[in-house]
Amino acid sequence: MERYKEEFIEFMVDSDVLKFGDFVTKSGRKTPFFVNTGFYRTGAQLRKLGGYYAKAIHDKFGLDFDVLFGPAYKGIPLSVAASIAISEQYDKDVKYCSNRKEVKDHGDKGILLGSPLMAGDKVLLIEDVTTAGTSIEETLPIIRAQGDVQVCGLVVSVDRMERGKGEKSALTEISETYGFPTAAIVTMAEVVEHLYNRPYNGKVYIDDTLKAAIDAYYAQYGA
């Protein structure tokens, strides 16, 4: 595993974004782990987060795109932070854009904020964690209504590696449904690999008991 992925896993733990215990997902699944990117709450955290996204985007998609689009609401700071990091790390100036939940009818009018989408733009989507692809389903019509743009991919922070609406993972379903590649900074398999029975800051986050619970969860919901 690349060192930046290990650092990102530790960064999620430090930021209280990656948690282990008993949780219920939005889809009603009882899960022993949870990823809540709402716990990135400081400028320093967003700067680091943007850097990890930039590295993953560079490695998996290259830099041949024009706009980084973050669906509202959590995608808004992600698109800003990652576009800044891409500029700093790779000297590539990409635009950022997001949608509003409601159309604004005064001032900066319309459904979008940030850079407007132009005909011919190559657009890369950025999200936190995708489990069912609902936000992509809602967002793509908005993007495509702006003109002749090309959506060239989707990057998320963590691939939960569980079934979406069918038997395949949500990221695979999105890729096959909409015809563009998907990628994640890390997968849950990599999280388990890095933390299982390995102390971090004096604590073992995934011991044998939790590992068994994770295995049981994937036996039921794994893609």
PDB file of all heavy atoms in Angstrom, residues 66-70 76 79-81 83 94-98 113-117:
ATOM      1  N   ASP A  66     -11.134  19.820 -16.725  1.00  0.00           N
ATOM      2  CA  ASP A  66     -11.252  21.271 -16.584  1.00  0.00           C
ATOM      3  C   ASP A  66     -11.927  21.712 -15.298  1.00  0.00           C
ATOM      4  O   ASP A  66     -11.619  22.773 -14.764  1.00  0.00           O
ATOM      5  CB  ASP A  66     -12.052  21.839 -17.771  1.00  0.00           C
ATOM      6  CG  ASP A  66     -11.495  21.423 -19.112  1.00  0.00           C
ATOM      7  OD1 ASP A  66     -10.355  21.810 -19.424  1.00  0.00           O
ATOM      8  OD2 ASP A  66     -12.200  20.686 -19.838  1.00  0.00           O
ATOM      9  N   VAL A  67     -12.892  20.903 -14.830  1.00  0.00           N
ATOM     10  CA  VAL A  67     -13.727  21.319 -13.705  1.00  0.00           C
ATOM     11  C   VAL A  67     -13.820  20.188 -12.681  1.00  0.00           C
ATOM     12  O   VAL A  67     -14.027  19.027 -13.045  1.00  0.00           O
ATOM     13  CB  VAL A  67     -15.160  21.688 -14.167  1.00  0.00           C
ATOM     14  CG1 VAL A  67     -15.995  22.185 -12.984  1.00  0.00           C
ATOM     15  CG2 VAL A  67     -15.126  22.724 -15.269  1.00  0.00           C
ATOM     16  N   LEU A  68     -13.670  20.553 -11.408  1.00  0.00           N
ATOM     17  CA  LEU A  68     -13.905  19.615 -10.305  1.00  0.00           C
ATOM     18  C   LEU A  68     -15.260  19.963  -9.718  1.00  0.00           C
ATOM     19  O   LEU A  68     -15.457  21.062  -9.189  1.00  0.00           O
ATOM     20  CB  LEU A  68     -12.791  19.771  -9.271  1.00  0.00           C
ATOM     21  CG  LEU A  68     -12.524  18.637  -8.280  1.00  0.00           C
ATOM     22  CD1 LEU A  68     -12.338  17.312  -9.002  1.00  0.00           C
ATOM     23  CD2 LEU A  68     -11.322  18.956  -7.430  1.00  0.00           C
ATOM     24  N   PHE A  69     -16.205  19.027  -9.842  1.00  0.00           N
ATOM     25  CA  PHE A  69     -17.588  19.298  -9.447  1.00  0.00           C
ATOM     26  C   PHE A  69     -17.929  18.538  -8.172  1.00  0.00           C
ATOM     27  O   PHE A  69     -17.869  17.306  -8.128  1.00  0.00           O
ATOM     28  CB  PHE A  69     -18.551  18.889 -10.555  1.00  0.00           C
ATOM     29  CG  PHE A  69     -19.965  19.354 -10.340  1.00  0.00           C
ATOM     30  CD1 PHE A  69     -20.434  20.482 -10.995  1.00  0.00           C
ATOM     31  CD2 PHE A  69     -20.825  18.684  -9.479  1.00  0.00           C
ATOM     32  CE1 PHE A  69     -21.741  20.928 -10.791  1.00  0.00           C
ATOM     33  CE2 PHE A  69     -22.119  19.122  -9.266  1.00  0.00           C
ATOM     34  CZ  PHE A  69     -22.585  20.254  -9.927  1.00  0.00           C
ATOM     35  N   GLY A  70     -18.335  19.279  -7.115  1.00  0.00           N
ATOM     36  CA  GLY A  70     -18.714  18.673  -5.849  1.00  0.00           C
ATOM     37  C   GLY A  70     -20.197  18.843  -5.576  1.00  0.00           C
ATOM     38  O   GLY A  70     -20.658  19.970  -5.346  1.00  0.00           O
ATOM     39  N   ILE A  76     -19.154  20.511  -1.768  1.00  0.00           N
ATOM     40  CA  ILE A  76     -18.740  21.891  -2.007  1.00  0.00           C
ATOM     41  C   ILE A  76     -17.339  22.150  -1.439  1.00  0.00           C
ATOM     42  O   ILE A  76     -16.436  22.555  -2.178  1.00  0.00           O
ATOM     43  CB  ILE A  76     -19.775  22.882  -1.451  1.00  0.00           C
ATOM     44  CG1 ILE A  76     -21.107  22.720  -2.189  1.00  0.00           C
ATOM     45  CG2 ILE A  76     -19.268  24.322  -1.563  1.00  0.00           C
ATOM     46  CD1 ILE A  76     -22.248  23.554  -1.620  1.00  0.00           C
ATOM     47  N   SER A  79     -14.592  20.110  -3.366  1.00  0.00           N
ATOM     48  CA  SER A  79     -14.169  20.628  -4.670  1.00  0.00           C
ATOM     49  C   SER A  79     -13.224  21.810  -4.511  1.00  0.00           C
ATOM     50  O   SER A  79     -12.254  21.953  -5.264  1.00  0.00           O
ATOM     51  CB  SER A  79     -15.392  21.019  -5.511  1.00  0.00           C
ATOM     52  OG  SER A  79     -16.088  22.104  -4.934  1.00  0.00           O
ATOM     53  N   VAL A  80     -13.485  22.665  -3.519  1.00  0.00           N
ATOM     54  CA  VAL A  80     -12.627  23.823  -3.277  1.00  0.00           C
ATOM     55  C   VAL A  80     -11.256  23.377  -2.779  1.00  0.00           C
ATOM     56  O   VAL A  80     -10.215  23.786  -3.302  1.00  0.00           O
ATOM     57  CB  VAL A  80     -13.287  24.784  -2.266  1.00  0.00           C
ATOM     58  CG1 VAL A  80     -12.337  25.912  -1.897  1.00  0.00           C
ATOM     59  CG2 VAL A  80     -14.585  25.351  -2.822  1.00  0.00           C
ATOM     60  N   ALA A  81     -11.244  22.523  -1.751  1.00  0.00           N
ATOM     61  CA  ALA A  81      -9.979  22.092  -1.157  1.00  0.00           C
ATOM     62  C   ALA A  81      -9.118  21.327  -2.157  1.00  0.00           C
ATOM     63  O   ALA A  81      -7.899  21.540  -2.246  1.00  0.00           O
ATOM     64  CB  ALA A  81     -10.253  21.219   0.068  1.00  0.00           C
ATOM     65  N   SER A  83      -9.243  21.447  -5.514  1.00  0.00           N
ATOM     66  CA  SER A  83      -8.775  22.292  -6.617  1.00  0.00           C
ATOM     67  C   SER A  83      -7.589  23.154  -6.173  1.00  0.00           C
ATOM     68  O   SER A  83      -6.643  23.367  -6.950  1.00  0.00           O
ATOM     69  CB  SER A  83      -9.914  23.167  -7.157  1.00  0.00           C
ATOM     70  OG  SER A  83     -10.406  24.048  -6.171  1.00  0.00           O
ATOM     71  N   VAL A  94      -7.395  24.185 -12.127  1.00  0.00           N
ATOM     72  CA  VAL A  94      -8.701  23.671 -12.536  1.00  0.00           C
ATOM     73  C   VAL A  94      -9.800  24.479 -11.857  1.00  0.00           C
ATOM     74  O   VAL A  94      -9.608  25.023 -10.770  1.00  0.00           O
ATOM     75  CB  VAL A  94      -8.867  22.165 -12.194  1.00  0.00           C
ATOM     76  CG1 VAL A  94      -7.813  21.337 -12.901  1.00  0.00           C
ATOM     77  CG2 VAL A  94      -8.804  21.928 -10.689  1.00  0.00           C
ATOM     78  N   LYS A  95     -10.935  24.557 -12.510  1.00  0.00           N
ATOM     79  CA  LYS A  95     -12.072  25.280 -11.963  1.00  0.00           C
ATOM     80  C   LYS A  95     -12.823  24.376 -10.976  1.00  0.00           C
ATOM     81  O   LYS A  95     -12.724  23.161 -11.042  1.00  0.00           O
ATOM     82  CB  LYS A  95     -13.003  25.711 -13.092  1.00  0.00           C
ATOM     83  CG  LYS A  95     -12.364  26.671 -14.087  1.00  0.00           C
ATOM     84  CD  LYS A  95     -13.293  27.015 -15.227  1.00  0.00           C
ATOM     85  CE  LYS A  95     -13.412  25.887 -16.238  1.00  0.00           C
ATOM     86  NZ  LYS A  95     -14.184  26.287 -17.447  1.00  0.00           N
ATOM     87  N   TYR A  96     -13.548  25.000 -10.054  1.00  0.00           N
ATOM     88  CA  TYR A  96     -14.426  24.219  -9.181  1.00  0.00           C
ATOM     89  C   TYR A  96     -15.853  24.677  -9.391  1.00  0.00           C
ATOM     90  O   TYR A  96     -16.120  25.818  -9.753  1.00  0.00           O
ATOM     91  CB  TYR A  96     -14.012  24.346  -7.703  1.00  0.00           C
ATOM     92  CG  TYR A  96     -14.423  25.646  -7.060  1.00  0.00           C
ATOM     93  CD1 TYR A  96     -15.667  25.787  -6.434  1.00  0.00           C
ATOM     94  CD2 TYR A  96     -13.571  26.751  -7.081  1.00  0.00           C
ATOM     95  CE1 TYR A  96     -16.050  26.973  -5.849  1.00  0.00           C
ATOM     96  CE2 TYR A  96     -13.945  27.949  -6.496  1.00  0.00           C
ATOM     97  CZ  TYR A  96     -15.176  28.059  -5.879  1.00  0.00           C
ATOM     98  OH  TYR A  96     -15.562  29.244  -5.303  1.00  0.00           O
ATOM     99  N   CYS A  97     -16.772  23.759  -9.159  1.00  0.00           N
ATOM    100  CA  CYS A  97     -18.194  24.055  -9.355  1.00  0.00           C
ATOM    101  C   CYS A  97     -19.012  23.143  -8.450  1.00  0.00           C
ATOM    102  O   CYS A  97     -18.586  22.021  -8.145  1.00  0.00           O
ATOM    103  CB  CYS A  97     -18.581  23.836 -10.817  1.00  0.00           C
ATOM    104  SG  CYS A  97     -20.306  24.230 -11.230  1.00  0.00           S
ATOM    105  N   SER A  98     -20.155  23.642  -8.017  1.00  0.00           N
ATOM    106  CA  SER A  98     -21.102  22.848  -7.232  1.00  0.00           C
ATOM    107  C   SER A  98     -22.510  23.270  -7.592  1.00  0.00           C
ATOM    108  O   SER A  98     -22.716  24.329  -8.199  1.00  0.00           O
ATOM    109  CB  SER A  98     -20.874  23.037  -5.723  1.00  0.00           C
ATOM    110  OG  SER A  98     -19.603  22.564  -5.326  1.00  0.00           O
ATOM    111  N   LEU A 113     -22.929  27.180  -8.357  1.00  0.00           N
ATOM    112  CA  LEU A 113     -22.037  28.164  -7.758  1.00  0.00           C
ATOM    113  C   LEU A 113     -20.609  27.781  -8.121  1.00  0.00           C
ATOM    114  O   LEU A 113     -20.328  26.644  -8.482  1.00  0.00           O
ATOM    115  CB  LEU A 113     -22.231  28.258  -6.247  1.00  0.00           C
ATOM    116  CG  LEU A 113     -22.112  26.995  -5.388  1.00  0.00           C
ATOM    117  CD1 LEU A 113     -20.672  26.715  -5.016  1.00  0.00           C
ATOM    118  CD2 LEU A 113     -22.948  27.136  -4.126  1.00  0.00           C
ATOM    119  N   GLY A 114     -19.702  28.759  -8.044  1.00  0.00           N
ATOM    120  CA  GLY A 114     -18.356  28.526  -8.542  1.00  0.00           C
ATOM    121  C   GLY A 114     -18.310  28.807 -10.028  1.00  0.00           C
ATOM    122  O   GLY A 114     -19.040  29.663 -10.543  1.00  0.00           O
ATOM    123  N   SER A 115     -17.479  28.074 -10.749  1.00  0.00           N
ATOM    124  CA  SER A 115     -17.332  28.306 -12.175  1.00  0.00           C
ATOM    125  C   SER A 115     -18.532  27.771 -12.953  1.00  0.00           C
ATOM    126  O   SER A 115     -18.988  26.656 -12.692  1.00  0.00           O
ATOM    127  CB  SER A 115     -16.067  27.625 -12.694  1.00  0.00           C
ATOM    128  OG  SER A 115     -15.975  27.733 -14.099  1.00  0.00           O
ATOM    129  N   PRO A 116     -19.040  28.525 -13.908  1.00  0.00           N
ATOM    130  CA  PRO A 116     -20.088  27.968 -14.776  1.00  0.00           C
ATOM    131  C   PRO A 116     -19.503  26.873 -15.653  1.00  0.00           C
ATOM    132  O   PRO A 116     -18.301  26.865 -15.949  1.00  0.00           O
ATOM    133  CB  PRO A 116     -20.528  29.173 -15.614  1.00  0.00           C
ATOM    134  CG  PRO A 116     -19.362  30.106 -15.600  1.00  0.00           C
ATOM    135  CD  PRO A 116     -18.707  29.922 -14.259  1.00  0.00           C
ATOM    136  N   LEU A 117     -20.343  25.927 -16.044  1.00  0.00           N
ATOM    137  CA  LEU A 117     -19.903  24.861 -16.941  1.00  0.00           C
ATOM    138  C   LEU A 117     -20.066  25.328 -18.381  1.00  0.00           C
ATOM    139  O   LEU A 117     -21.104  25.868 -18.754  1.00  0.00           O
ATOM    140  CB  LEU A 117     -20.721  23.593 -16.698  1.00  0.00           C
ATOM    141  CG  LEU A 117     -20.591  22.968 -15.302  1.00  0.00           C
ATOM    142  CD1 LEU A 117     -21.469  21.725 -15.195  1.00  0.00           C
ATOM    143  CD2 LEU A 117     -19.147  22.628 -14.988  1.00  0.00           C
TER     144      LEU A 117
END
